[in-house]
Amino acid sequence: MSRSRSDSKRGSIPSMETTGDALTEETVIVVLGASGDLAQKKTFPALFALYQQGYLPKDVHIVGYARTKMDLDEFYRRETKYIKKNENDVELAKTFDAKLSGFKKISSYISGQYDTDEGFQELREHLEKLENERSGSKSPRNRVFYMALPPPSSPSSPRPFGKDLESSREMMTALKAEWAENETYRIDHYLGKEMIKNMLVLRFGNVFLDACMNRNFISNVQITFKEPFGTEGRGGYFDEFGIIRDVCQNHLMQTLSVLAMERPVSFSAEDIRDEKVKVLRCIPPIDKKDVLLGQYVATGDKPGYLDDDTVPKGSHCPTFAAMVLWVNNPRWEGVPFIMKAGKALNESKVEVRVQFKDATSGIFNDIARNELVLRVQPSEAVYMKMNSKLPGFQTRAVTTELDLTYKKRFTDARIPQAYEALILDALKGDHSNFVRDDELDVAWKIFTPILHWIDGKQGEAPNPEPYAYGSRGPKLIDEFSSRYGYKRTEDDYTWPQTSVEQVEKASL
Ligand code: BG6
């Protein structure tokens, strides 16, 4: 996303409270790629949610731009295709219809190419007309360009920024010719997720957590991304990228950097991003001996990855990857950060699991480890697995939890979608939750060597381990995680509630 405004403030928000920041009236938001999937599924619904709640600037206008020729009615149909009324939110549901027609009224569409001047000239005239109608020739103009565009090499997905260090640098140089860094808001939508945004407060606002988040107390950290569906319908796109570019190098790496960074001097954008870059620079490129790759195969009526006609025959593309990253600084040296991501697995889940070291033996024979779990989705929660005496006459330790489940604790809170939060931040000129150029560069340095190995650029491409659609991943995954010190203690423990009866039954 880019924003052109002569007086754009360079992201320095002195406190975390951003809702009081002024929005620039009469902003025009241009959505490039307006007929594509990302715009329809994410950008327009997010813009509508902000509009519906009164968060967009006064007199805002939204202009869609794409190659598809269509009249306004067709554009409105596509713009609002994925916008749904939420009946559970009684207040917003009441005004939904009126707001939806208001949203269409502030929207318009221009069709044009991306590689010729014609369409863009038409777009400029359209913007000037809109702006002149509202405020004469008054300046500065405030225009936000939301680029929901695919990179030139891939027709259907805009997500990874480049394919490796070199191509990312090329894209960066091309963009920099047009937009200064302080006008650029590089989206990684994970940074807009509520739990990722909470990590700074959890870590640095709680003395007890801050004190133990280091190599003296922590055995290992797992960052897990699981999806229960395969690449159905977009195997062609996916094959060019693979799971590591699709979610690890970007989303999970951003999660890791926020989790592992040192305390920033302030909550201002540059202070936060400086710390993220610093911690990323302590991570050496991933070693291929620390990597496990997988590819799903058919089970029952579920197709395997290679059964998709758009996937090249015999593709080695990983749909699952587990890898270990090492953060070589005084806080984390020797603590493995195990990153796991996969498609077509047994559940839908994104979580961070910080596993503590064993309690010293002596009085306990076998006691479970403490674990701090940050569940990013579904249903945000933070819980700490903690040992406690089972109530009753005997002295037996059982695993219990300190539980902060958002739905129970923040019953009335409406948690914004990641894209809503990010668009609002950009409108306010706050860069904190956007990826800075140097962050992206370091992240690619960490991943490029293994990506080239997987792409077969260093000899034959490695063979991913097959795993069944709907399973927990390749059979070797538990052995892999335990090699890096992770102890799985799920057998007699079910979160969120374990009754005394359950525990007793489990230990019979
Ligand atoms: C995208 C990937 O960037 O992130 C998708 O391209 C993935 O493959 C998605 O499904 C996950 O995002 P979320 O918000 O659903 O966890």
Side-chain angles (χ1 to χ4, degrees):
M1 198 179 332
S2 296
R3 164 178 162 145
S4 66
R5 181 178 163 205
S6 48
D7 61 343
S8 89
K9 50 182 166 151
R10 185 149 187 172
S12 62
I13 304 287
S15 79
M16 289 202 72
E17 187 57 67
T18 56
T19 47
D21 289 291
L23 296 170
T24 308
E25 291 183 7
E26 298 168 9
T27 294
V28 179
I29 302 173
V30 181
V31 180
L32 300 155
S35 60
D37 234 28
L38 181 68
Q40 286 182 37
K41 290 190 176 148
K42 300 288 183 191
T43 318
F44 291 131
L47 285 169
F48 175 70
L50 292 173
Y51 173 78
Q52 192 184 16
Q53 296 170 83
Y55 283 120
L56 288 189
K58 192 165 161 272
D59 288 332
V60 68
H61 201 100
I62 295 165
V63 180
Y65 183 92
R67 281 176 297 208
T68 314
K69 289 209 181 327
M70 56 183 148
D71 61 18
L72 259 187
D73 282 339
E74 175 59 14
F75 172 64
Y76 292 152
R77 195 189 64 74
R78 294 193 191 197
E79 185 189 30
T80 56
K81 189 170 164 195
Y82 292 95
I83 297 175
K84 300 273 171 294
K85 190 196 277 191
N86 178 3
E87 299 289 354
N88 295 330
D89 200 326
V90 183
E91 280 309 303
L92 289 182
K94 267 192 231 157
T95 54
F96 180 86
D97 296 330
K99 291 282 182 182
L100 195 65
S101 66
F103 186 63
K104 288 181 193 164
K105 278 198 194 110
I106 59 157
S107 305
S108 50
Y109 178 74
I110 300 286
S111 86
Q113 301 300 311
Y114 295 112
D115 51 1
T116 58
D117 288 345
E118 259 177 9
F120 288 120
Q121 271 155 7
E122 197 185 330
L123 177 64
R124 191 179 63 193
E125 282 158 24
H126 181 66
L127 297 184
E128 282 170 356
K129 188 166 159 269
L130 283 172
E131 288 160 344
N132 291 342
E133 270 167 16
R134 288 181 318 189
S135 49
S137 50
K138 194 179 92 189
S139 59
R141 307 293 201 194
N142 194 42
R143 296 175 180 171
V144 175
F145 293 89
Y146 189 112
M147 296 178 212
L149 289 171
S153 62
S154 109
S156 58
S157 173
R159 271 140 179 178
F161 192 91
K163 287 194 81 175
D164 56 8
L165 184 60
E166 203 187 327
S167 53
S168 157
R169 284 184 174 168
E170 275 167 21
M171 277 175 76
M172 197 105 80
T173 311
L175 276 179
K176 277 181 185 295
E178 308 296 334
W179 307 99
E181 183 62 22
N182 71 343
E183 292 173 329
T184 307
Y185 296 78
R186 254 173 239 102
I187 291 184
D188 181 311
H189 75 285
Y190 267 55
L191 290 176
K193 290 192 187 266
E194 190 63 33
M195 184 55 69
I196 309 288
K197 289 176 33 169
N198 190 8
M199 278 177 7
L200 281 191
V201 177
L202 285 173
R203 279 194 59 203
F204 301 115
N206 293 299
V207 178
F208 77 100
L209 273 186
D210 190 26
C212 57
M213 290 284 277
N214 59 55
R215 64 199 295 262
N216 299 326
F217 296 93
I218 306 302
S219 159
N220 61 82
V221 177
Q222 291 210 40
I223 302 178
T224 307
F225 171 100
K226 289 170 128 188
E227 273 182 351
F229 42 83
T231 59
E232 291 99 319
R234 56 182 208 127
Y237 146 73
F238 188 86
D239 204 79
E240 254 193 72
F241 292 90
I243 192 74
I244 297 181
R245 291 183 181 93
D246 195 41
V247 296
C248 302
Q249 182 274 342
N250 42 15
H251 307 330
L252 302 191
M253 201 58 198
Q254 285 297 327
T255 306
L256 188 153
S257 67
V258 182
L259 181 77
M261 68 188 257
E262 293 299 319
R263 182 185 163 114
V265 177
S266 78
F267 273 116
S268 81
E270 300 321 322
D271 283 342
I272 292 176
R273 300 195 298 178
D274 283 350
E275 290 305 335
K276 284 170 67 195
V277 175
K278 231 193 261 172
V279 76
L280 290 179
R281 288 180 58 203
C282 297
I283 304 177
I286 298 164
D287 191 323
K288 54 188 177 197
K289 75 172 176 22
D290 289 334
V291 177
L292 171 67
L293 302 173
Q295 190 184 78
Y296 65 90
V297 295
T299 333
D301 59 350
K302 296 289 185 192
Y305 177 69
L306 295 179
D307 299 329
D308 183 335
D309 289 341
T310 59
V311 169
K313 296 262 159 304
S315 164
H316 287 235
C317 176
T319 59
F320 175 98
M323 68 207 81
V324 177
L325 294 99
W326 303 94
V327 183
N328 293 335
N329 66 10
R331 182 190 285 273
W332 294 114
E333 187 164 43
V335 178
F337 282 73
I338 307 168
M339 204 180 258
K340 294 190 301 184
K343 300 265 174 193
L345 294 177
N346 59 332
E347 60 184 330
S348 167
K349 185 168 83 175
V350 177
E351 68 172 30
V352 174
R353 190 170 288 263
V354 180
Q355 188 170 71
F356 286 68
K357 292 188 169 173
D358 288 322
T360 15
S361 61
I363 55 172
F364 301 112
N365 292 332
D366 181 20
I367 191 162
R369 284 178 163 182
N370 292 133
E371 277 181 9
L372 171 69
V373 182
L374 314 181
R375 195 167 63 192
V376 179
Q377 62 194 42
S379 179
E380 293 83 351
V382 181
Y383 60 97
M384 176 83 176
K385 282 168 66 172
M386 196 182 77
N387 294 305
S388 173
K389 179 186 162 307
L390 187 70
F393 294 116
Q394 51 329 31
T395 301
R396 266 209 17 234
V398 285
T399 305
T400 58
E401 64 285 317
L402 297 178
D403 174 8
L404 164 59
T405 297
Y406 277 37
K407 276 194 187 132
K408 281 193 251 160
R409 177 62 180 77
F410 304 115
T411 42
D412 293 333
R414 178 185 178 274
I415 299 180
Q417 292 294 310
Y419 283 93
E420 294 170 33
L422 293 176
I423 292 172
L424 189 58
D425 280 352
L427 288 169
K428 288 175 175 166
D430 180 0
H431 280 83
S432 320
N433 295 313
F434 294 89
V435 183
R436 203 168 64 187
D437 49 358
D438 49 351
E439 272 184 76
L440 187 63
D441 207 71
V442 199
W444 277 121
K445 277 187 190 153
I446 297 169
F447 283 86
T448 295
I450 54 157
L451 286 167
H452 283 176
W453 164 61
I454 293 167
D455 291 345
K457 288 196 174 139
Q458 298 167 3
E460 207 179 320
N463 255 332
E465 297 285 326
Y467 63 95
Y469 194 121
S471 67
R472 291 181 53 242
K475 290 212 169 60
L476 290 172
I477 186 58
D478 288 336
E479 189 193 313
F480 179 87
S481 307
S482 66
R483 210 190 306 152
Y484 297 95
Y486 177 67
K487 286 194 183 168
R488 200 157 178 263
T489 51
E490 309 290 303
D491 298 347
D492 58 350
Y493 175 81
T494 330
W495 185 79
Q497 290 283 296
T498 313
S499 67
V500 172
E501 286 87 338
Q502 272 173 303
V503 175
E504 283 175 340
K505 229 193 276 161
S507 55
L508 283 179

